[in-house]
């Protein structure tokens, strides 16, 4: 690679240390450029960027989701750990060594413990349920991360649209300046009208300039919620069509069927039920078997076998473990009921907020804004004809700007309600 890159440049000698140093620098620069291009291609956003693309990008790039999946994979190994038998033990015993040094009584034993109940299977099922619950909780993390990203998306889209409103306001203020200047030149208005109109231009230009920082802040926030570097560019944002939502009963049923919180709590319930079974199984004794070759001075070589069982006499400890697992199971039951109630309420509230936001947005778009535009045109025509004062034109322009800002915020609320 070094020769290839160096051959692309001048045919200077590479036999000197300086020549090789220059080639090495070229290699380093080329490598960094390739890596940077690859990173930008990996983090690139589609153009235009819409809410569906936000959902897909978050699922692939948020570090919290990757962390949760890694933890879930780690917990998926727990069933093999807790469901296995204890490791066997190898014991070497010298039972009798005479002081004369003539011979020895000894043995080599292998001991294996195993339960006389289904405790290992219960522990395995509890670990499997815990791993499943953690995997499903990644879905909750994904929902939270997606909600954050969609909020940042709609807020940035709204800020960019407000910039368009202010640009139009600056242009409109410039039109008022030209009308006021023409009337002043014709002797139809005082010079103060021109100065007042120019003041409006400067005021709106200053407000427009102040939005630059807000846009940069919004882009940094959207990049952060997407899992990207804050310095990367954000393409054009498209919020998508205002489609009619599905009926509330359909939405509620879908949420109760698909929300990961409910499935995670259900997996937690299975875990605690398995733990109750495991604690009950501890009432049964643990058996062990020892076997191996032995040697005695009198009888010579032979075999030795020992069988034993544990005596679980500390019933209070075992009963406390069962009671703890049962209480945790009752807690999971209550959490499941509460989660179902809360999710249903959230869905109904979100759909109600969406319906309200859509009504307000449509009214502003179809009725209020056209009326404000008509009033502004009439007022400007009246001022140009000398039939209305300048303040009336300024007030009409301000009224239109307020309506347009209100419409932008209403459409942002529609997007947020739809995302919720």
């Amino acid at each position: 690679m070094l020769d290839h890159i160096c051959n692309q440049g001048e045919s200077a000698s590479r036999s000197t240390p300086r020549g090789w140093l220059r080639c090495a620098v070229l290699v380093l620069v080329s490598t960094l450029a390739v890596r940077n291009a690859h990173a930008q291609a990996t983090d690139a956003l589609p153009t235009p960027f819409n809410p569906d693309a936000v959902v897909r990008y978050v699922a692939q790039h948020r570090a919290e989701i990757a962390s949760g999946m890694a933890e879930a994979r780690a917990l998926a190994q727990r069933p093999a750990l807790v469901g296995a038998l204890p490791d066997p033990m190898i014991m070497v015993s010298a039972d009798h060594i005479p002081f004369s040094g003539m011979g020895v009584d000894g043995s080599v034993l292998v001991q294996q413990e195993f339960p006389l109940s289904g405790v290992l299977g219960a522990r395995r099922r509890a670990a499997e349920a815990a791993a499943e619950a953690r995997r499903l909780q990644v879905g909750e993390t994904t929902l939270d991360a997606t909600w954050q990203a969609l909020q940042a998306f709609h807020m940035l889209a709204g800020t960019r649209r407000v910039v368009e409103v202010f640009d139009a306001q600056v242009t409109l203020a410039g039109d008022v300046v030209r009308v006021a200047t023409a009337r002043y030149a014709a002797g139809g208005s005082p010079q103060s009208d021109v100065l007042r109109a120019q003041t409006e231009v400067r005021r709106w230009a200053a407000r427009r300039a102040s939005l630059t920082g807000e846009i940069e802040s919004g882009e940094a926030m959207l990049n952060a919620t997407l899992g990207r570097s804050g310095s990367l560019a954000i393409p054009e944002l498209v919020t998508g069509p205002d489609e009619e939502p599905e009926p509330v009963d359909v939405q509620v049923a879908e949420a109760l069927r698909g929300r990961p919180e409910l499935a995670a709590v259900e997996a937690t319930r299975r875990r605690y039920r398995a733990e109750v079974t495991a604690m009950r199984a501890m009432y049964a004794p643990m058996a062990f078997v020892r076997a191996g070759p032995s040697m005695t001075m009198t009888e010579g070589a032979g075999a030795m076998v020992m069988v034993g069982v544990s005596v679980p006499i500390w019933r209070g400890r075992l009963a406390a473990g069962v009671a703890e697992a049962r209480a945790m199971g009752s807690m999971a039951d209550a959490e499941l009921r509460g989660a179902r109630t809360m999710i249903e309420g959230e869905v109904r509230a979100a759909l109600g907020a969406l319906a309200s936001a859509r009504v307000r947005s449509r009214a502003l778009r179809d009725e209020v804004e056209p009326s404000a535009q008509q009033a502004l045109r009439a007022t400007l025509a009246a001022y140009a004809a000398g039939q209305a004062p300048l303040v009336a034109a300024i007030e009409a322009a301000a009224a239109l700007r307020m309506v347009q800002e209100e419409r932008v915020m209403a459409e942002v609320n529609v997007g947020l309600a739809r995302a919720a």
Side-chain angles (χ1 to χ4, degrees):
M1 180 177 180
L2 180 62
D3 289 338
H4 174 72
I5 293 178
C6 291
N7 288 335
Q8 303 302 316
E10 300 177 356
S11 58
S13 174
R14 299 189 305 257
S15 60
T16 63
R18 178 177 298 178
W20 280 109
L21 178 60
R22 183 176 63 182
C23 292
V25 171
L26 288 174
V27 171
L28 179 60
V29 172
S30 301
T31 302
L32 293 177
V34 170
R35 289 182 178 178
N36 185 52
H38 176 71
Q40 290 181 355
T42 303
D43 293 335
L45 299 178
T47 303
F49 197 42
N50 57 36
D52 291 337
V54 170
V55 175
R56 292 191 297 269
Y57 194 93
V58 167
Q60 297 172 0
H61 291 81
R62 280 293 289 266
E64 297 91 330
I65 299 174
S67 173
M69 292 300 295
E71 184 180 359
R73 291 194 300 270
L75 289 178
Q77 307 305 316
R78 293 294 300 172
L81 297 176
V82 302
L85 289 171
D87 292 333
M89 297 180 61
I90 299 178
M91 293 170 285
V92 179
S93 173
D95 300 317
H96 179 67
I97 303 176
F99 292 130
S100 63
M102 302 297 293
V104 62
D105 289 349
S107 59
V108 178
L109 300 176
V110 177
Q111 174 177 313
Q112 177 64 62
E113 297 180 355
F114 55 91
L116 298 178
S117 64
V119 61
L120 295 182
R123 287 175 178 173
R124 180 185 294 272
R125 291 191 297 273
E128 289 173 349
E132 178 67 8
R134 184 64 188 96
R135 185 187 68 81
L136 292 168
Q137 286 171 358
V138 178
E140 298 183 50
T141 303
T142 303
L143 284 181
D144 293 339
T146 304
W147 170 236
Q148 294 172 1
L150 287 173
Q151 282 183 303
F153 172 89
H154 287 290
M155 295 305 296
L156 176 59
T159 303
R160 287 183 173 181
R161 291 199 57 196
V162 170
V163 168
E164 297 175 1
V165 171
F166 281 12
D167 286 339
Q169 195 73 22
V170 171
T171 302
L172 179 60
D175 293 339
V176 175
V177 169
R178 285 188 289 273
V179 173
T181 302
R183 289 196 60 195
Y184 172 66
S189 64
Q191 186 181 11
S192 60
D193 281 5
V194 178
L195 298 176
R196 174 68 186 279
Q198 291 174 345
T199 301
E200 287 296 310
V201 172
R202 296 187 183 95
R203 185 164 71 93
W204 287 112
R207 293 195 62 182
R208 166 61 181 86
S210 68
L211 289 178
T212 302
E214 294 186 22
I215 291 178
E216 292 177 354
S217 174
E219 290 178 348
M221 179 58 67
L222 179 55
N223 276 326
T225 57
L226 291 173
R228 305 171 77 227
S229 171
S231 60
L232 296 178
I234 299 293
E236 177 188 359
L237 304 182
V238 177
T239 57
D242 184 16
E243 299 176 349
E244 192 72 25
E246 295 181 339
V248 60
D249 292 336
V250 174
Q251 295 269 28
V252 169
E254 181 180 353
L256 294 179
R257 182 175 59 255
R259 284 286 286 269
E261 299 96 317
L262 299 179
V265 174
E266 182 60 39
T268 303
R269 292 175 68 197
R270 294 196 302 271
R271 169 192 170 188
Y272 289 131
R273 285 198 295 266
E275 288 185 354
V276 169
T277 303
M279 293 305 300
R280 285 178 175 173
M282 294 296 291
Y283 284 101
M286 177 76 72
F288 71 89
V289 175
R290 293 178 184 174
S294 65
M295 175 69 70
T296 66
M297 291 181 291
T298 58
E299 301 294 336
M304 181 176 182
V305 177
M306 180 183 297
V307 178
V309 294
S310 64
V311 182
I313 61 174
W314 309 116
R315 299 287 181 169
R317 177 175 61 86
L318 300 177
V322 173
E324 178 187 23
R326 283 178 174 173
M328 296 301 291
S330 299
M331 179 191 72
D333 292 340
E335 287 183 350
L336 181 60
R337 293 193 301 272
R340 291 179 64 88
T341 302
M342 182 59 66
I343 288 174
E344 180 178 357
E346 288 176 352
V347 172
R348 294 183 181 276
L351 288 173
L354 175 58
S356 175
R358 293 179 73 216
V359 169
R360 185 162 176 261
S361 175
R362 289 179 177 180
L364 289 169
R365 180 193 64 193
D366 299 335
E367 300 176 12
V368 181
E369 185 173 350
S371 178
Q373 290 174 341
Q374 184 178 3
L376 176 61
R377 288 193 295 268
T379 305
L380 285 177
Y383 174 67
Q387 299 175 354
L390 175 64
V391 66
I394 293 176
E395 290 178 352
L400 176 60
R401 187 266 309 166
M402 292 176 61
V403 170
Q404 290 173 334
E405 282 191 80
E406 189 176 358
R407 177 189 169 186
V408 169
M409 293 311 301
E411 291 176 349
V412 169
N413 291 333
V414 170
L416 292 176
R418 188 176 297 280

